[in-house]
């Protein structure tokens, strides 16, 4: 079976299975189609965490498709621009686009098809068109003026003829189709084994024409962002060349006889595991799923877990993330005591191993981590 958030991606995955491809082949083909038909949710510049079960090794693995920030994206560099917060739009928050590399790593190690095979459906939908989702049309409506005024290259792609495309209209993305087609051409031109051609495609993206285009555009173009000032990007072709997707073991938590697997703290996967750890001492079945008490308890546990995400999560290569302590029974038993009869409106990160939490600076918001700690948690 194949399940996704768009019928065309699901149909693509099923067609792969029906033609002899395996689950990895189907997932990769469907993933690339989603980049075309759901551009408001993901795209070729995005990232992806992938969890998979390998029946041969009988183990779960995680493919990390989370790119890193550019080497030049330092606190000093942003301060020199007069910024104390990374803008939410524009070039400055860019990270290396990890999804392409991650999908190809999945294809290389667990799939059987070629790059040309898995990209063919995405190229067709980008080139020939697909019915535009209403949600995409609505999203484009909200940014249309910004595109026209400040992001003309985006307007050229997303506002054909200068107008917001209607829901249900046939929408094409010829620039993306041409990019993927060139990647396929360079992959096929490399010849050799399937794996060699996959490597050639990945090199075209991270060490070839795609990386060069991204680096040149970021370095040579100022784009308006939410700071109200246009800025060039910090991303270079070298940033893309230095990054590679990786395969790692999942972070796990055993909950009532089930082992739940998630990505590491470079994503927000452990948030769900923390919620399970906080809820382990509650009889949710007795509360009645969907009841007021059930919803209240689950939501309050979620708030505590997300508060820890804000204070502690990050890329473990650069940040000491106390994952074991965050999931430990003692820590979560103390944290669960903060779940009272009324909803909390405070951001209350905890203090695993007794370490004081540190929250990012949110303009206009009180730094809850400045408060004392109670029961292994920061008092709001």
């Amino acid at each position: 079976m194949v399940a996704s958030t768009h019928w065309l991606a699901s149909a693509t995955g099923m067609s792969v299975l029906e033609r002899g491809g395996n689950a990895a082949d189907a997932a990769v083909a469907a993933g690339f189609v989603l980049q075309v038909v759901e551009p408001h949710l993901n795209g070729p510049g995005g990232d992806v965490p992938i969890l998979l079960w390998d029946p041969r090794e009988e183990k779960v693995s995680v493919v990390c498709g989370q790119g890193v920030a550019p080497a030049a994206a330092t606190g000093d560099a942003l301060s020199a621009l007069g910024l104390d917060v990374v803008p939410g739009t524009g070039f400055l928050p860019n990270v290396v686009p990890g999804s392409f590399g991650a999908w190809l790593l999945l294809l290389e190690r667990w799939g059987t098809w070629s790059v040309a095979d898995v990209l063919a459906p995405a190229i067709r939908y980008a080139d020939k068109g697909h019915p535009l989702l209403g949600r995409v049309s609505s999203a484009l409506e909200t940014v249309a003026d910004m595109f026209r005024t400040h992001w003309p290259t985006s307007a050229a792609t997303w506002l054909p003829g200068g107008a917001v495309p209607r829901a249900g209209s046939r929408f094409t993305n010829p620039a993306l189709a041409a990019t993927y087609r060139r990647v396929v051409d360079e992959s096929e031109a490399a010849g050799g084994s399937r794996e060699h051609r996959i490597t050639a495609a990945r090199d075209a993206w991270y060490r070839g024409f795609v990386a060069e285009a991204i680096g040149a555009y970021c370095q040579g173009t100022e784009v308006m962002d939410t700071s109200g000032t246009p800025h060039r990007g910090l991303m270079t072709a070298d940033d893309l060349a230095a990054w590679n997707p990786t395969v790692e073991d999942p972070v796990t938590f055993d909950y009532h006889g089930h082992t739940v697997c998630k990505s590491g703290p470079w994503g927000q996967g452990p948030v769900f595991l923390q919620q399970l750890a906080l809820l382990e001492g509650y009889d949710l079945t007795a509360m009645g799923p969907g009841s007021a008490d059930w919803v209240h308890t689950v939501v309050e546990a979620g708030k505590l877990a997300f508060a820890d995400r804000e204070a502690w999560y990050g890329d473990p290569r650069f940040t000491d993330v106390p994952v074991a302590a965050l999931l430990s029974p003692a820590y979560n038993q103390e944290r669960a005591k903060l779940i009272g009869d009324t909803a909390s409106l405070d951001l209350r990160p905890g203090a695993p191993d007794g370490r004081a939490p540190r929250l990012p600076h949110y303009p206009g918001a009180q730094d809850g981590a400045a408060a004392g700690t109670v029961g292994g948690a920061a008092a709001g």
Side-chain angles (χ1 to χ4, degrees):
M1 62 172 287
V2 177
S4 80
T5 51
H6 196 288
W7 72 92
L8 290 178
S10 298
T12 295
M14 278 304 304
S15 75
V16 172
L17 297 178
E18 290 165 353
R19 288 179 285 156
N22 67 15
D25 301 322
V28 175
F32 281 121
V33 167
L34 286 175
Q35 292 183 359
V36 177
V37 299
E38 290 189 338
H40 62 311
L41 297 180
N42 76 126
D47 54 67
V48 59
I50 302 171
L51 281 87
L52 64 101
W53 167 261
D54 187 337
R56 297 166 300 182
E57 298 181 357
E58 294 190 343
K59 64 175 293 188
V60 175
S61 294
V62 175
V63 179
C64 175
Q66 173 61 64
V68 296
T74 64
D76 289 342
L78 293 169
S79 295
L81 296 174
L83 300 171
D84 61 356
V85 174
V86 179
T89 62
F91 285 153
L92 293 178
N94 285 3
V95 298
V96 172
S99 63
F100 187 86
W103 285 126
L104 289 201
L105 180 56
L106 176 65
L107 181 69
E108 178 182 9
R109 289 189 54 171
W110 287 278
T112 63
W113 280 23
S114 69
V115 174
D117 290 334
V118 296
L119 277 176
I123 292 172
R124 178 173 178 80
Y125 286 125
D127 189 34
K128 303 299 183 182
H130 56 90
L132 192 72
L133 292 175
R135 296 187 298 276
V136 178
S137 180
S138 297
L140 289 173
E141 183 70 48
T142 64
V143 295
D145 289 341
M146 182 179 67
F147 280 11
R148 295 185 185 104
T149 305
H150 300 294
W151 296 12
T153 54
S154 294
T157 294
W158 302 107
L159 305 177
V164 175
R166 302 186 317 276
S169 62
R170 180 183 289 267
F171 186 81
T172 63
N173 191 335
L176 182 57
T179 300
Y180 283 158
R181 192 174 288 114
R182 182 172 173 183
V183 167
V184 168
D185 289 344
E186 295 196 12
S187 170
E188 293 298 298
S193 66
R194 185 185 73 93
E195 290 75 15
H196 182 74
R197 284 176 282 143
I198 292 174
T199 298
R202 196 158 49 229
D203 285 345
W205 194 272
Y206 293 100
R207 284 161 281 277
F209 78 97
V210 175
E212 292 168 1
I214 291 174
Y217 194 77
C218 286
Q219 297 290 300
T221 310
E222 288 189 341
V223 170
M224 180 65 71
D225 55 46
T226 50
S227 71
T229 301
H231 293 105
R232 289 185 176 87
L234 301 173
M235 184 81 67
T236 68
D238 289 340
D239 289 314
L240 278 83
W243 181 84
N244 285 293
T246 56
V247 178
E248 59 191 47
D249 292 331
V251 179
T252 64
F253 184 79
D254 291 329
Y255 182 78
H256 293 191
H258 298 279
T259 299
V260 184
C261 303
K262 285 290 187 179
S263 67
W266 46 265
Q268 57 182 350
V271 166
F272 184 65
L273 304 183
Q274 283 194 252
Q275 292 179 73
L276 294 178
L278 287 161
L279 293 169
E280 193 166 29
Y282 290 89
D283 189 345
L284 296 178
T285 300
M287 291 181 188
S291 68
D293 287 343
W294 186 92
V295 171
H296 169 77
T297 304
V298 170
V299 169
E300 292 304 301
K303 292 177 184 177
L304 294 173
F306 276 103
D308 274 346
R309 180 198 68 174
E310 298 300 281
W312 295 109
Y313 286 23
D315 190 329
R317 291 173 294 177
F318 309 106
T319 305
D320 180 15
V321 184
V323 175
L326 289 168
L327 295 176
S328 68
Y331 175 75
N332 285 284
Q333 287 167 10
E334 288 298 309
R335 290 282 279 163
K337 294 177 182 178
L338 294 174
I339 301 176
D341 293 333
T342 59
S344 171
L345 301 180
D346 296 321
L347 186 64
R348 300 179 293 177
D353 292 333
R355 291 189 280 179
R358 185 177 65 180
L359 288 172
H361 169 63
Y362 297 110
Q366 181 181 1
D367 187 351
T373 60
V374 177

